[in-house]
Amino acid sequence: MKYNKNFYQIKSNKEIFEKIEKEKGYIGYYNLPYQDTSYIKEFAKNVTQKDIVVVGIGGSSLGTFAIHKFLQHKENDKKLHFLESTDPLDLQRRISKINLNDALFIIISKSGTTVETVSILKYLHTLVNIDSSNTICITENDSKLKTFAKSRDIKTFEIPKDVGGRFSVFSTVGLVPLAIMGLDIDELLSGCKEVSDSFFSQDEYYSLLMEKARFLVENKNRFNINVVFSYSLLLEGFNKWYVQLWGESLGKININGTKQALTPIGLVGPIDQHSFLQLIVEGKRDKTVTFIKIEDFQDEMTIPHLSLEGLEELDYLNDIKFKDLINKQADATIEAIEGLDDIPCDVITIQSQDEFNIGKLMFSYELLTSIVGKFVQINTYDQPGVETGKIILKEKLK
């Protein structure tokens, strides 16, 4: 008798690792840490425009924005803008801050036919002539956007076909604008490479990511909401990127027709201590919490030694550095959650604000997403749930 196991089951770590290794042959993001970046850096150093405008949405912009937000203090004197929403008031406000005569427009669309991106491109063309002197396109090699670029002799950078949009931040999608802004893209990829090498040699990151993925999958029916609680506004962009990566990758129907429901939520501390934390502490036990801290903010700003009338009881704040204050706020919240004993939580500490560490963080989350996808036996890299809406929209617009 032949017995085929084609139903959902939680597989062994060994089986999952073998499947991830096999994926490296046809899922391109795994190989991005090892790419040659010389042609990107050569182009970036010759960009003279002061306003750098990324026109893209979702995977074409969220990852770049996350790294930009985290590393703004290391960027050059250029200004990076993001045009992604078709909200007319927001679009006009953002465009008003751009010197259109001294701007480089980076049009990013993997498919080349993204409605939001093409709509904004058309509008920009009414304000300034879009041509090879002020525009580049980042797209697949045979897309409609590539055809447009060739018709105007506009330089293009290729997005590999085997790299999905929400996994594309370490491709030309993110590396080109970030290099133009003066960031060290090789260090960014070095952080990714450290995680990748460690995982695929079954070292530290193998143990960390497998253990976390297995816990999330084995407990997904009880703890189906995954909260990232980042203690810095610098990580607000990372949170948004994580929500897309996690939600669009893992909200799927698996091999035996069961709808998977791992729901991502991104919070920023200490701000959300005054809102969502109440729900975590006394609400339904359906959430895991990952705290992310920055060990060294590289800033010495200090609360002044000052006594204010009526507020003398808060004089214990005097002379405390703000970087110490925010980390003590994080530690207090972590201790409170850990003390409850019934909310699964873990802590990620970023050593410093640099390219290497944000690369490590983001690539580890990409790997974690892929591992969880393999455990629950879904296609991590498609998004059939959003296609119907796109088809309906196209019909309505036509």
Side-chain angles (χ1 to χ4, degrees), residues 81-139:
H81 308 265
F82 293 85
L83 302 182
E84 52 191 348
S85 173
T86 52
D87 177 334
L89 298 180
D90 179 73
L91 190 58
Q92 287 188 47
R93 179 183 63 81
R94 290 177 186 242
I95 290 176
S96 70
K97 296 180 178 180
I98 300 167
N99 180 353
L100 297 174
N101 296 315
D102 192 22
L104 176 69
F105 301 100
I106 306 177
I107 315 299
I108 307 176
S109 171
K110 181 173 168 61
S111 69
T113 57
T114 308
V115 166
E116 295 86 354
T117 304
V118 174
S119 299
I120 295 170
L121 171 61
K122 284 174 176 281
Y123 182 68
L124 287 173
H125 195 53
T126 68
L127 304 178
V128 63
N129 189 41
I130 297 293
D131 59 27
S132 60
S133 70
N134 63 1
T135 305
I136 62 172
C137 294
I138 302 177
T139 186

Side-chain angles (χ1 to χ4, degrees), residues 4-47:
N4 290 320
K5 295 188 289 184
N6 63 347
F7 50 85
Y8 168 72
Q9 55 183 327
I10 299 178
K11 296 181 179 293
S12 70
N13 288 2
K14 180 176 181 292
E15 286 178 283
I16 295 300
F17 182 71
E18 288 171 354
K19 288 180 179 293
I20 292 291
E21 278 199 307
K22 191 176 293 184
E23 269 193 356
K24 288 176 71 177
Y26 59 92
I27 299 297
Y29 91 84
Y30 292 108
N31 303 310
L32 295 177
Y34 308 94
Q35 67 189 288
D36 175 25
T37 61
S38 56
Y39 71 106
I40 296 174
K41 293 182 291 186
E42 184 64 28
F43 172 80
K45 73 180 184 181
N46 293 311
V47 172

Side-chain angles (χ1 to χ4, degrees), residues 289-307:
V289 185
T290 295
F291 292 96
I292 304 180
K293 297 170 52 183
I294 299 174
E295 186 169 287
D296 184 6
F297 281 86
Q298 299 171 357
D299 189 285
E300 300 301 314
M301 188 167 69
T302 303
I303 302 168
H305 193 93
L306 192 63
S307 188

Side-chain angles (χ1 to χ4, degrees), residues 239-274:
N239 285 4
K240 292 180 178 180
W241 173 82
Y242 152 74
V243 166
Q244 188 211 14
L245 177 72
W246 200 252
E248 201 168 55
S249 297
L250 301 178
K252 303 283 174 63
I253 300 173
N254 75 357
I255 194 170
N256 65 345
T258 303
K259 296 180 185 295
Q260 301 303 303
L262 289 164
T263 302
I265 291 176
L267 304 178
V268 174
I271 298 166
D272 289 317
Q273 285 181 201
H274 299 265

